[in-house]
Amino acid sequence: MSVLHGKKVLLGVTAGIAAYKTASLVRLFIKSGAEVKVVMTPASKDFITPLTLSTLSKNPVHSTFYDQEDENELWNNHVELGLWADIMLIAPATANTLSKMTNGTCDNLLLATYLSAKCPVYFAPAMDLDMYKHPSTKVSLESLQNFGNIMIPATSGELASGLVGEGRMAEPEDIVDFIEKDILSKLPLKGKKLLLTAGPTYEAIDPVRFIGNHSSGKMGFEIAKAAANLGAEVFLVTGPSHQKVNHSLIHRIDVTSAKDMYEACHQYYNDMDIAICSAAVADYRPKNVADQKIKKKDAALTIELEPTKDILKSLGETKQHQFVVGFALETNDEKANAKKKLEAKNLDAIVLNSLRDKGAGFAGDTNKITIIDADFNEKSFELKSKTEVAKDIINEIVAKIS
Ligand code: CTP
């Protein structure tokens, strides 16, 4: 999945011949799962029609502060557009627009939107070779980068004038690739490795029966996605779960029993920077597993259980540099019990959910958590979807380890 998936991309198109390539650019952003809006300078409409770009982006395209053809003359709010965007890209960026951006001129909707944007702004210059080399253009390119904007350099090749040299806008595929790589390189968990347990465990009674629990694994899988979206390489050790995951940074390791989970975790643990145990691991397992299916008899059946190893505790006890996080599902004296677990298992933080809170727990799609750190600082969150809860957990960890 592209790092652009779910991102709001605002494309600013200015009046260069390379504007015809913005149709492909919009297609590529849409294909990567981004939401796209386009603003154009009035003159750029001579090079590509707003209809083409609105059809491809599935959003209206604006080039003026209000739409004259619209009888209600609705104001196109540049501030709103600027704040809407997660990323703004100006491509092609002509010498004229670059110069105006440098000086803070805002005589069109695109420039006013640029000045209002708080997100990272990328620009892909496109002009003839002598314009590109001109000292005033060089000043613009340098100043804009000093302001924090990110340049996607022009390439060399045949230009619209027929001359050959530097000034060609980077190809749409290369622009998207550049932005993806730039975002990835700046993610807060880039280069970090996370060990994560999820789901239930099944403890065999005989070849066809087991002791298990109702954990869906959803919370753990959402944590895996939230961490991977921030650049972490995730080793997801999961018990039997119907959850699916498709992310190049997530390695799924399927296990069945608490023993399998323990062994898989310790296989990876030394290399990890963070460990989060969200699995609902069975605390007990049958002492003897029957080789054959146990036959029904009239007498009562007693199965002797023995404790499983506490995976989280073993990670806490043997940690060197890792930041270790556990979960506590409690029904009473919640915070006191969670703090006891935090200390007993030598954790850096614990995520508490109380079964007394409606919507919390391991079977549904929502959760309500309190995160307690090793100094017993507490942070409580509202009832949220597990997707949002996962982001809160990962953001708290990022804040603690950075
Ligand atoms: N855990 C684990 N291995 C086990 C049991 C639990 O890794 N064998 C982890 C869970 O993934 C969770 C945390 O320990 O992160 C808390 O589990 P919980 O069942 O609430 O606590 P217990 O220590 O088992 O205590 P109790 O059941 O008595 O509340």
Side-chain angles (χ1 to χ4, degrees):
M1 192 170 72
S2 164
V3 71
L4 288 167
H5 189 94
K7 289 259 187 297
K8 297 183 180 114
V9 177
L10 182 60
L11 173 65
V13 180
T14 74
I17 180 65
Y20 82 92
K21 293 185 180 176
T22 56
S24 309
L25 203 46
V26 171
R27 281 284 298 132
L28 289 169
F29 281 129
I30 294 282
K31 250 175 101 177
S32 70
E35 196 182 332
V36 183
K37 287 188 183 178
V38 180
V39 277
M40 304 177 76
T41 60
S44 72
K45 294 192 286 184
D46 291 335
F47 294 93
I48 185 159
T49 70
L51 182 63
T52 304
L53 297 178
S54 66
T55 307
L56 292 171
S57 66
K58 304 181 182 86
N59 271 313
V61 170
H62 300 294
S63 58
T64 51
F65 288 97
Y66 64 91
D67 295 325
Q68 279 118 336
E69 309 87 62
D70 186 334
E71 55 190 20
N72 299 315
E73 290 198 354
L74 274 184
W75 185 50
N76 295 320
N77 190 333
H78 56 91
V79 178
E80 223 167 65
L81 263 176
L83 297 181
W84 169 86
D86 296 318
I87 295 163
M88 183 169 187
L89 164 67
I90 298 166
T94 57
N96 182 41
T97 292
L98 292 172
S99 163
K100 287 180 178 179
M101 284 163 68
T102 304
N103 291 302
T105 308
C106 54
D107 60 359
N108 63 41
L109 181 71
L110 187 153
L111 288 162
T113 307
Y114 159 70
L115 280 179
S116 307
K118 286 190 172 162
C119 60
V121 177
Y122 297 84
F123 63 96
M127 64 200 77
D128 214 60
L129 76 166
D130 292 317
M131 295 170 81
Y132 198 61
K133 271 197 261 173
H134 197 281
S136 63
T137 305
K138 287 214 174 336
V139 168
S140 298
L141 300 179
E142 220 176 284
S143 308
L144 287 171
Q145 291 179 88
N146 288 340
F147 296 159
N149 301 297
I150 305 146
M151 178 162 85
I152 305 173
T155 60
S156 281
E158 192 179 334
L159 302 162
S161 60
L163 298 171
V164 176
E166 211 177 4
R168 262 167 78 116
M169 185 178 84
E171 291 303 322
E173 287 80 5
D174 297 332
I175 290 178
V176 173
D177 193 51
F178 181 103
I179 295 174
E180 283 178 333
K181 288 201 175 114
D182 187 65
I183 294 174
L184 275 172
S185 72
K186 291 172 182 161
L187 290 175
L189 291 178
K190 170 87 186 149
K192 299 275 184 222
K193 290 185 177 174
L194 164 66
L195 175 67
L196 176 65
T197 69
T201 63
Y202 288 178
E203 309 303 325
I205 298 170
D206 68 15
V208 293
R209 303 182 181 95
F210 60 85
I211 297 172
N213 61 63
H214 290 299
S215 168
S216 63
K218 186 161 173 76
M219 190 69 252
F221 277 68
E222 291 298 340
I223 293 172
K225 286 180 221 163
N229 286 341
L230 293 190
E233 185 176 4
V234 181
F235 296 79
L236 171 63
V237 180
T238 177
S241 166
H242 295 300
Q243 300 295 320
K244 290 199 167 51
V245 70
N246 179 18
H247 195 299
S248 59
L249 285 173
I250 302 178
H251 312 283
R252 177 179 180 148
I253 300 123
D254 285 295
V255 295
T256 306
S257 66
K259 185 168 179 285
D260 300 339
M261 191 174 272
Y262 178 95
E263 281 164 8
C265 285
H266 281 278
Q267 191 185 327
Y268 295 101
Y269 188 48
N270 280 348
D271 266 358
M272 298 293 126
D273 301 290
I274 307 163
I276 306 176
C277 289
S278 72
V281 186
D283 286 330
Y284 296 93
R285 66 171 172 225
K287 191 165 180 191
N288 299 304
V289 181
D291 293 340
Q292 310 285 335
K293 187 177 168 210
I294 299 171
K295 288 285 174 203
K296 184 168 58 187
K297 295 195 187 101
D298 287 339
L301 174 70
T302 303
I303 298 172
E304 193 181 348
L305 301 178
E306 64 179 7
T308 56
K309 282 188 194 163
D310 189 320
I311 302 164
L312 176 62
K313 189 158 186 266
S314 72
L315 299 181
E317 279 166 353
T318 57
K319 78 176 172 199
Q320 296 140 14
H321 51 273
Q322 295 90 343
F323 190 88
V324 181
V325 181
F327 270 70
L329 178 62
E330 305 291 340
T331 54
N332 58 295
D333 295 331
E334 290 88 342
K335 285 184 180 165
N337 283 333
K339 286 175 186 169
K340 267 190 221 154
K341 274 181 197 167
L342 181 104
E343 279 188 322
K345 300 191 188 191
N346 195 28
L347 308 180
D348 297 292
I350 195 154
V351 181
L352 163 67
N353 28 166
S354 167
L355 272 188
R356 282 201 289 185
D357 286 325
K358 229 175 145 227
F362 63 26
D365 278 341
T366 56
N367 210 351
K368 185 172 183 327
I369 60 160
T370 298
I371 300 179
I372 306 174
D373 71 13
D375 298 321
F376 289 170
N377 296 310
E378 297 171 13
K379 193 161 176 184
S380 294
F381 296 82
E382 296 302 306
L383 180 74
K384 295 182 182 183
S385 71
K386 285 186 173 170
T387 311
E388 293 305 314
V389 172
K391 288 183 194 160
D392 288 339
I393 293 170
I394 292 300
N395 286 338
E396 280 304 302
I397 294 174
V398 168
K400 297 271 179 220
I401 64 172
S402 49

